[in-house]
Amino acid sequence: MPSELDGRDTATLTLEEALLEPENIERQAENTSVFHTVYIIVSIYAGLGILALPYAVAEGGWFAETLLIGMCLLFYCSSVLMIRSFRLLETRREGLTPLYELGEILGIGRILYTMMQLELGGNMILCSIVCLQQLEFLMSTVISHHEFHVALALFCIITGLLLLLPDLRSLRHISFVAVLATLCLVLSVAALAVGDPKKKYIPSGYGDVSYDIFNWIGVFRSVSIFSTSLSGHTALASVRKDMSSSLVHFSKSVMLSFVTMGVLYVAISSCGYYYWGDQVSPIVLSDIVYHSAFSADSQSPWPWHIVQVHVLLSALVLVSSIAKLPALVMVMLDTMSSVKNNGHHRHMSYKLIITCVALSIAVVLREKVGSVIGLVGGFCSIFVSLLLPTMAYLKLSWSTSTIIQKFCLISMCFCGWIILIVATSLNIHDLTFGLV
């Protein structure tokens, strides 16, 4: 059957939708079990943000685990509200309602486009930082000098070649690599916490591990990083249509997807924080590579040197990350073309300019990756995936909602704005203070 996305402007497609590819989703529609739908949804949400979850807990202390569960519940509620908002709009208009129409309902269509562009740009910077880190490590296994410069050169060459791809369909198989990298990462961190609970095999020089129970300032940083891993609502309406499942079936799948993500996120964040404590890195993969029983200079009796787990994980994350960069560039350019009503923004010069800007910022901010993730999540993800669906549904359903429902929706909006303002302020302060 033809996809509902076929007649849709590419500017309204999110990166996750493009990577999944409508044809692939339609194949799943032939056997739309709950498992298939959950797999699609989890593959949309689980991205690079999962690498920073142990660091997020270290910022807020063990109490942040409670906040992580609460954020999963909050974002699940907002995902339901977004689906209901699209349903309400579809009763008034024919065809698939694009995301920006929710912004137009609130009179903030252009603001929403700007926020989406900022989120895309922030993810481009984050992808570039992660790619550079992994390339630098992989180069260190081959050469002993100028690893970063070689990694930077290789990154430019690989990215330049990927930018030559005409569309996003060539990258559709990368979604499987991203899911595989996520599962391997969670299993590896859990294996370290269970197999080396006393941290005996962490290479010397790492220092003593300590923990916090609660850090009231750090919890806002924690929440902003959690938001990065829970943002993907913009793809739900499209997945709902292409999976050709009933509303009850899809609602059940969304609920199970958030339960699955909650289990995975709590597992990697708690195990990572337990193993590395307050010294955990913003990107947990760096600790797996250099400060764990998997490290090359570890004295662990485990035969990990045969498999080279740290190298395998680094390679998987590199492949999934570097493939997302050209996809992000293309989606950003398509959005620009839609706003200006022309199709000239796919030109290679635009791709190179945007990529070079993102790479330049990434090189400057590569030591502040935690604040970059927090800023993207605390500002853009909170607005697009929490505030937008809540405010839109509140306006669309105001006449039919009960007083209790209105109170709950207004409370969600209030919490979202508080998180956005405080978390954004803290992360901007961290970025600017770190550059002074």
Side-chain angles (χ1 to χ4, degrees):
M1 71 175 183
S3 172
E4 295 285 350
L5 296 177
D6 290 343
R8 183 178 168 196
D9 195 318
T10 52
T12 62
L13 289 173
T14 63
L15 168 64
E16 293 86 356
E17 295 173 46
L19 288 180
L20 287 175
E21 182 62 22
E23 288 85 350
N24 289 348
I25 300 177
E26 288 174 16
R27 295 190 194 102
Q28 299 283 0
E30 297 176 0
N31 184 21
T32 53
S33 66
V34 172
F35 172 80
H36 289 146
T37 311
V38 169
Y39 169 79
I40 293 294
I41 296 174
V42 172
S43 65
I44 288 174
Y45 280 81
L48 294 177
I50 195 172
L51 297 172
L53 290 179
Y55 175 76
V57 176
E59 286 289 311
W62 283 115
F63 179 76
E65 291 289 353
T66 305
L67 292 177
L68 175 55
I69 297 174
M71 290 296 290
C72 288
L73 178 61
L74 190 62
F75 272 74
Y76 165 69
C77 292
S78 67
S79 69
V80 173
L81 294 178
M82 178 165 279
I83 294 172
R84 291 182 178 179
S85 297
F86 277 109
R87 291 280 294 177
L88 289 174
L89 286 175
E90 286 170 2
T91 61
R92 306 177 187 182
R93 300 177 174 89
E94 295 182 357
L96 180 66
T97 303
L99 175 66
Y100 65 82
E101 288 199 23
L102 291 183
E104 292 179 347
I105 289 292
L106 299 171
I108 55 171
R110 291 295 180 130
I111 294 176
L112 177 60
Y113 263 118
T114 302
M115 296 295 289
M116 292 176 67
Q117 292 288 64
L118 289 175
E119 187 174 28
L120 288 169
N123 282 309
M124 288 171 57
I125 295 170
L126 178 58
C127 282
S128 300
I129 293 174
V130 172
C131 290
L132 287 174
Q133 287 183 346
Q134 305 320 309
L135 278 171
E136 185 176 7
F137 162 68
L138 293 174
M139 289 301 99
S140 68
T141 63
V142 180
I143 60 178
S144 57
H145 300 288
H146 306 294
E147 297 93 337
F148 176 75
H149 298 92
V150 175
L152 182 60
L154 283 176
F155 176 79
C156 293
I157 294 173
I158 296 173
T159 304
L161 293 174
L162 290 175
L163 289 177
L164 295 174
L165 296 175
D167 54 45
L168 297 170
R169 298 182 181 184
S170 307
L171 302 171
R172 61 184 180 270
H173 301 298
I174 300 300
S175 62
F176 173 75
V177 178
V179 173
L180 180 61
T182 299
L183 292 176
C184 290
L185 190 68
V186 173
L187 291 175
S188 299
V189 175
L192 288 171
V194 174
D196 187 24
K198 297 183 179 180
K199 299 90 175 174
K200 295 188 299 183
Y201 304 121
I202 295 181
S204 59
Y206 187 68
D208 296 330
V209 174
S210 60
Y211 309 97
D212 288 328
I213 300 298
F214 178 75
N215 182 347
W216 72 274
I217 295 181
V219 293
F220 287 98
R221 297 189 179 96
S222 301
V223 168
S224 64
I225 295 174
F226 294 154
S227 302
T228 307
S229 300
L230 294 168
S231 177
H233 293 8
T234 54
L236 289 178
S238 299
V239 176
R240 159 76 178 88
K241 285 183 173 293
D242 286 315
M243 294 303 292
S244 300
S245 57
S246 66
L247 182 60
V248 175
H249 174 102
F250 187 71
S251 299
K252 180 180 178 181
S253 299
V254 172
M255 180 185 67
L256 291 177
S257 299
F258 274 87
V259 171
T260 302
M261 287 187 292
V263 172
L264 290 176
Y265 292 173
V266 169
I268 189 173
S269 60
S270 59
C271 290
Y273 185 49
Y274 170 76
Y275 192 74
W276 289 288
D278 59 353
Q279 298 190 51
V280 66
S281 301
I283 299 296
V284 70
L285 190 56
S286 300
D287 288 318
I288 295 177
V289 169
Y290 298 110
H291 308 124
S292 75
F294 295 139
S295 303
D297 55 346
S298 172
Q299 300 301 317
S300 171
W302 306 346
W304 297 122
H305 61 280
I306 299 176
V307 183
Q308 294 289 302
V309 174
H310 57 306
V311 176
L312 176 61
L313 282 174
S314 183
L316 284 173
V317 172
L318 173 63
V319 171
S320 62
S321 300
I322 204 167
K324 287 182 179 180
L325 188 60
L328 286 164
V329 173
M330 293 179 193
V331 174
M332 177 178 283
L333 292 177
D334 285 339
T335 305
M336 293 170 59
S337 298
S338 175
V339 171
K340 297 187 177 182
N341 296 318
N342 67 71
H344 301 299
H345 287 92
R346 273 294 185 97
H347 194 276
M348 189 64 180
S349 59
Y350 288 94
K351 295 181 181 180
L352 290 176
I353 291 173
I354 293 176
T355 305
C356 289
V357 171
L359 178 58
S360 301
I361 298 175
V363 171
V364 175
L365 299 179
R366 69 183 187 278
E367 301 298 331
K368 306 292 293 183
V369 61
S371 298
V372 174
I373 298 175
L375 187 59
V376 173
F379 186 58
C380 301
S381 298
I382 288 289
F383 184 86
V384 175
S385 293
L386 179 58
L387 288 172
L388 174 67
T390 306
M391 292 188 299
Y393 185 75
L394 180 62
K395 184 171 183 177
L396 290 169
S397 65
W398 182 264
S399 60
T400 58
S401 298
T402 64
I403 295 177
I404 296 178
Q405 290 173 333
K406 292 177 181 177
F407 175 78
C408 293
L409 292 171
I410 293 173
S411 298
M412 285 181 63
C413 291
F414 178 77
C415 292
W417 280 111
I418 292 296
I419 295 171
L420 186 148
I421 294 171
V422 177
T424 301
S425 301
L426 288 173
N427 286 298
I428 290 177
H429 173 268
D430 292 343
L431 284 173
T432 54
F433 181 78
L435 294 176
V436 174

